[in-house]
Amino acid sequence: MGTVNTTTLLESEDLEWFRDGPSLPVAARGAATALARRIGLSGHRAAEVALAVTEAATNVQKHAVDGALLLRVVRSGGEAGVEFLTVDSGPGMSDVSAALADGASSVGTLGIGLGAVSRLADHFDLHSVPGRGTVMAARFWPRTGDGRAVVASSPGGSPAAGVTRPISGELVCGDAWAVRAVAGDGGHPALLVMLCDGLGHGPLAERASQAAVRAFRGTHDLSPEGVLGAVHRALRGTRGGAVAVARIEPAARRVLYCGIGNVSGFLVDDRGRRALLSAPGIVGAHMRRLRTFEEPLPEHGALVMHSDGLTERWDPATLPGLLGHSSLVMAGQLLREAAVRRDDASVVVVKGAW
């Protein structure tokens, strides 16, 4: 363990989920093209994004069971890019390397193959479990005149990534998450992570969770209890919510965790998972006396936080190799594995930060 990796922290905004169906490739391609142009990608780069999204969406349509594609915008400093995530419960891939080989493409797709998608993307990751499903992520930044991405991508992607999905029938999600790099004891950098599940769903729940994000980003008290106190004050007058805050301190080899309500937290490694404790209550309405728990950071492990839109029945042992993939793909796999349609769902994963 060493200092926290903050150089590749990205901001992201989940824009729209596209469910599996006959119109998936056309709808996703149109939305991706419009997004790429809106954030300032060149015509050529926007066309590459559209091509990759169409290939990925067509693969979902042809082969997936209960598949979907998420389109989102990512930001680093003053630069913005396009990112997509596909999740499905289809047959999975028995040989991912073969699927990514040149010339490998599926019947009915554009024929460029997932290998070409991976080359067009500035960051690409795919994890598949035969018999369970596949998650794929790709990110596209603007390019310089000599063809280089304007934002350098680390091999493991951003150390913190999350995914939100609204309840079926809603356009907005009442769950939200955020992460920020802060100064730790002795000047060593640390990470603060928050997840908020606004009570209920729809615009009023979204209002509560977005108020929590603003309070999280603006507070000067950087202890988990201090952050929760700031969020509690910000959520008065809203529906309130369930909130958990984690402070990751790699130099001290520990995580500090404080939660109120039904937000689940786990430390995951090759041996399994270890639950982090939250207390009953509603942030913004009534909270018990706050208590912060300290746990050692697992070697080569991850921190997972999710709302009760995911059940706790997921088991990392059934997803072999998952810890070797990016935070975003890991979040997507847990969403695919455990999310329910009858509630807003969110999951954030931090790994490779210590």
Side-chain angles (χ1 to χ4, degrees), residues 23-316:
S23 64
L24 171 61
V26 173
R29 179 189 181 99
T33 301
L35 174 61
R37 291 173 176 168
R38 178 165 61 85
I39 66 173
L41 268 63
S42 68
H44 178 73
R45 191 61 172 147
E48 291 180 332
V49 170
L51 185 64
V53 166
T54 305
E55 180 74 11
T58 305
N59 268 284
V60 169
Q61 182 190 49
K62 294 292 183 181
H63 302 291
V65 176
D66 192 27
L69 183 146
L70 169 64
L71 188 64
R72 52 198 241 157
V73 61
V74 288
R75 295 183 176 88
S76 179
E79 300 293 344
V82 176
E83 190 168 63
F84 72 79
L85 179 78
T86 64
V87 299
D88 71 69
S89 298
M93 302 179 187
S94 58
D95 190 342
V96 172
S97 297
L100 295 176
D102 287 337
S105 61
S106 302
V107 175
T109 71
L110 296 180
I112 67 170
L114 296 181
V117 174
S118 71
R119 288 192 298 276
L120 291 173
D122 296 304
H123 176 76
F124 179 88
D125 192 20
L126 185 152
H127 180 253
S128 188
V129 181
R132 301 189 79 90
T134 301
V135 172
M136 176 172 62
R139 185 182 309 133
F140 305 82
W141 294 112
R143 293 287 176 87
T144 61
D146 58 0
R148 293 180 294 108
V150 298
V151 176
S153 295
S154 65
S158 177
V163 181
T164 63
R165 189 181 71 189
I167 187 174
S168 295
E170 284 284 357
L171 297 178
V172 297
C173 183
D175 292 2
W177 66 275
V179 60
R180 56 186 286 201
V182 298
D185 295 340
H188 297 292
L191 280 183
L192 276 177
V193 188
M194 184 207 67
L195 189 143
C196 176
D197 178 356
L199 291 189
H201 52 82
L204 293 180
E206 182 196 32
R207 177 188 168 203
S209 65
Q210 291 305 313
V213 169
R214 289 191 295 272
F216 169 81
R217 289 176 174 162
T219 184
H220 297 292
D221 188 337
L222 303 178
S223 67
E225 292 182 13
V227 174
L228 259 178
V231 172
H232 178 63
R233 294 187 291 274
L235 265 57
R236 289 173 180 162
T238 73
R239 284 184 171 183
V243 181
V245 178
R247 180 184 170 101
I248 297 171
E249 298 180 346
R253 302 189 177 189
R254 68 178 185 175
V255 59
L256 304 175
Y257 187 87
C258 185
I260 295 291
N262 293 328
V263 172
S264 298
F266 297 93
L267 293 172
V268 182
D269 60 17
D270 289 334
R271 296 169 295 180
R273 68 183 197 182
R274 184 166 73 253
L276 301 169
L277 299 179
S278 291
I282 300 174
V283 180
H286 52 83
M287 299 193 304
R288 292 183 176 183
R289 181 182 176 186
L290 296 177
R291 182 179 177 187
T292 296
F293 296 90
E294 178 180 335
E295 294 286 346
L297 288 168
E299 293 279 358
H300 310 297
L303 168 71
V304 174
M305 297 163 62
H306 65 75
S307 69
D308 62 357
L310 279 74
T311 72
E312 293 188 351
R313 293 195 294 268
W314 57 270
D315 181 358

